[in-house]
Amino acid sequence: MRTLAALTIARYTLLEALRNRLLWLLLVMALGAVGVSGFLNELALTESRQLQAALLGAVLRLAAVFLIATFVVTSMVREANDKGLELLMALPLPRAVYLLGKLAGFAALAVLPAALFGALALFFAPPAQAALWAVSLLCECWIVAAFSLLCVLTLNQVLPALAAAFAFYLLARAVGTLQLLGHGAGAAHSAGQQALGAALDALALLLPHLDRFTRSDWLVYHDGGAADLVAIAAQTVIYVALMAAAGLFDLYRKQI
């Protein structure tokens, strides 16, 4: 009964996205990314195909994350404003069923950009590398969707929730680079830089390393492997579970 209720919530979440023409938006973004990367391909003097693959991968990854985070936040806020959340909470169902149903719907939605953009990656990489890139993009979108859901449950408004979600994504993407800068040459001679390096190390322990997800070099140099996939899957399971638990805690303490 509870599983069926969660699947029903997930189904209507996915239907809402399709009725909002999200699929058409994905197609437009894919065509736009192909057009821009093709234009730069004509301008490049050397390694034009590699440049096109790297740029296309980066643009498609950012487009997928942006669409998923924006839909999660706006959908949840709209449902709260329309009193749909209150209606669902009035049903004889645990709040965990509602949260898991929503997460399942957003997870199913993330399959669309991963499959579409992964198909485009086949033009630049062998099937195994394109599949790895697509699965990694799916995991990245799942983490972003779970964090966006946690943000909107906590902050309750569109702008703060979106700002928090994108700040989280940028930090998780850049934390590896920030660590390298924090431990650069001369860092050992400055107490301030040592403190900064320690702070960045602590931050890196808390955040997922999204810089190791959906890497463009898999499309350019075809050097991805099973070890990358295992590391990505492990991080995805851990962070999605943690964020779902935090969201569930926040949902149960709400007075609706």
Side-chain angles (χ1 to χ4, degrees):
M1 175 65 183
R2 292 178 179 179
T3 303
L4 181 61
L7 290 176
T8 303
I9 292 172
R11 175 172 173 266
Y12 279 98
T13 301
L14 185 58
L15 283 177
E16 178 192 358
L18 296 177
R19 288 168 181 164
N20 283 335
R21 296 178 173 79
L22 200 65
L23 184 57
W24 287 106
L25 194 54
L26 285 172
L27 289 172
V28 169
M29 284 191 163
L31 290 176
V34 170
V36 171
S37 63
F39 176 70
L40 291 179
N41 179 38
E42 296 299 325
L43 294 180
L45 298 178
T46 61
E47 298 184 335
S48 56
R49 186 171 178 80
Q50 288 84 350
L51 176 65
Q52 185 181 11
L55 180 66
L56 185 70
V59 171
L60 292 179
R61 181 180 63 233
L62 187 60
V65 167
F66 172 79
L67 284 177
I68 293 296
T70 303
F71 177 76
V72 170
V73 171
T74 55
S75 171
M76 293 295 294
V77 170
R78 185 197 56 75
E79 188 172 87
N81 292 338
D82 293 344
K83 307 300 181 187
L85 179 59
E86 295 181 11
L87 179 63
L88 288 171
M89 292 297 103
L91 297 175
L93 289 172
R95 295 186 179 188
V97 172
Y98 169 76
L99 185 75
L100 294 178
K102 281 291 179 183
L103 268 179
F106 297 138
L109 173 63
V111 174
L112 296 179
L116 176 62
F117 297 165
L120 287 177
L122 284 171
F123 289 100
F124 300 95
Q129 296 294 317
L132 173 62
W133 189 88
V135 172
S136 178
L137 178 61
L138 179 62
C139 292
E140 189 170 340
C141 288
W142 283 352
I143 292 177
V144 170
F147 189 77
S148 300
L149 183 59
L150 173 61
C151 288
V152 75
L153 287 174
T154 305
L155 302 173
N156 299 316
Q157 293 185 347
V158 172
L159 191 57
L162 277 180
F166 289 130
F168 162 82
Y169 179 73
L170 290 177
L171 268 178
R173 267 274 159 198
V175 68
T177 304
L178 293 176
Q179 273 187 294
L180 289 176
L181 293 175
H183 293 288
H189 306 293
S190 166
Q193 286 181 328
Q194 286 182 356
L196 179 62
L200 290 173
D201 289 341
L203 186 64
L205 288 175
L206 297 175
L207 293 173
H209 284 256
L210 293 183
D211 54 321
R212 298 171 188 170
F213 285 57
T214 326
R215 288 161 45 186
S216 295
D217 54 321
W218 295 341
L219 303 181
V220 177
Y221 302 112
H222 312 155
D223 55 355
D228 297 307
L229 183 60
V230 170
I232 288 168
Q235 287 197 63
T236 303
V237 170
I238 292 170
Y239 281 97
V240 169
L242 287 175
M243 291 169 191
L248 195 58
F249 174 79
D250 194 70
L251 188 60
Y252 268 103
R253 72 178 179 84
K254 282 181 180 298
Q255 297 295 329
I256 299 176

